[in-house]
Amino acid sequence: LDLTPSEPPAVLFHGTPRANIDSILASGLDRRRRHHVHLSPDRETAERVGARRGDFVVFHVDAATMHADGLTFWRTDNNVWLTDAVPSSYLAPDL
């Protein structure tokens, strides 16, 4: 995957099963077995991703502050945003 670092939109979104809320709030988002954390540019896409496994929650990612703090983002050709990790301080669940 050969991507150029890009400035993200101010807010990105991450949909995930509701069962993951506590662990994400404690330790943030990490890539697990993937190459990167995948983020969506809009809430609707994050909802579709999160709903694949049933009851879900959408996290708002403060991408503008992450980028200002020096964390790197990449955008794929299909408009998925990637980053190495999202510390919990940049996350807010939409409960």
Side-chain angles (χ1 to χ4, degrees):
L1 200 57
D2 186 25
L3 299 170
T4 303
S6 300
E7 182 172 350
V11 177
L12 290 167
F13 302 89
H14 182 80
T16 190
R18 190 168 291 278
N20 296 340
I21 292 175
D22 290 340
S23 100
I24 290 171
L25 289 175
S27 59
L29 294 170
D30 62 51
R31 58 189 177 187
R32 308 259 173 186
R33 293 180 298 276
R34 295 178 151 194
H35 289 285
H36 297 94
V37 173
H38 291 66
L39 303 171
S40 302
D42 58 82
R43 182 181 170 75
E44 294 74 25
T45 302
E47 288 175 352
R48 280 197 305 276
V49 171
R52 291 187 299 198
R53 294 190 186 94
D55 193 24
F56 68 94
V57 64
V58 172
F59 280 88
H60 293 236
V61 178
D62 184 355
T65 303
M66 282 181 66
H67 186 258
D69 289 347
L71 287 93
T72 304
F73 289 86
W74 301 269
R75 187 175 61 84
T76 66
D77 289 340
N78 62 346
N79 208 26
V80 173
W81 285 86
L82 307 174
T83 192
D84 290 327
V86 181
S88 60
S89 59
Y90 300 103
L91 291 167
D94 194 2
L95 301 173

